[in-house]
Amino acid sequence: MERFGRWAGAGFVTVAGFVVPTWLCGVLVLPSVLEDSAIRWSVASALGAAVAALTGMWGYGFATRTREGGPSGRVVQASGGRAVAVGGSNSGGISTGDTGATGQSPDQAAGGNQTPPQAPAQPAPGTVTATGERSIAIGGDSTGPLSTGDHHGGAQP
């Protein structure tokens, strides 16, 4: 029902965005400038149509937007080392790895083999969680580049 209410509200505002400027210009503003009523109402209608078009674009965005955060109960958590969690959409680049030119892996630099972490339990719906080492979790769309590994200066196989 909320979706219908948003569309109905957007439609009402769009109609009002046409009627109010058209009437104001046709009855109050333009009579002193334009004496011919056909021209006056044509200009008023054109102005009302322009305002209604802008209002319609706003109404579409209002009616189709989704709630994120706040009362929806969405939880965003990044608990792993160098982990990144984004609750909504991402449009920038995310890199959790090193960009140096050393030939060592992170495990070798830390002093040998490390035990991999245990797989976490399934998160609750609406939860965005990045728990692993250098993990990335995004709760929406991503249009930017993502990288979780090291980028060394050596030749690629």
Side-chain angles (χ1 to χ4, degrees):
M1 186 65 177
E2 181 181 338
R3 185 174 182 169
F4 174 76
R6 285 183 174 273
W7 277 108
F12 177 76
V13 171
T14 302
V15 170
F18 175 77
V19 171
V20 170
T22 302
W23 182 82
L24 285 173
C25 287
V27 174
L28 301 176
V29 176
L30 293 177
S32 62
V33 179
L34 300 170
E35 293 181 19
D36 186 10
S37 68
I39 295 173
R40 180 175 65 234
W41 284 104
S42 296
V43 171
S45 296
L47 179 65
V51 172
L54 293 173
T55 308
M57 287 189 290
W58 167 85
Y60 176 78
F62 173 75
T64 58
R65 73 176 178 201
T66 58
R67 278 194 193 179
E68 291 192 21
S72 68
R74 174 173 270 180
V75 176
V76 179
Q77 181 179 2
S79 60
R82 290 185 169 179
V84 177
V86 179
S89 296
N90 173 53
S91 61
I94 296 176
S95 175
T96 61
D98 295 329
T99 57
T102 64
Q104 286 185 319
S105 72
D107 289 341
Q108 292 169 342
N113 294 334
Q114 296 180 356
T115 308
Q118 296 294 326
Q122 290 295 325
T127 301
V128 179
T129 305
T131 57
E133 179 76 19
R134 297 182 183 191
S135 61
I136 298 173
I138 299 176
D141 297 328
S142 179
T143 58
L146 306 174
S147 173
T148 59
D150 291 341
H151 300 284
H152 300 290
Q156 297 287 330

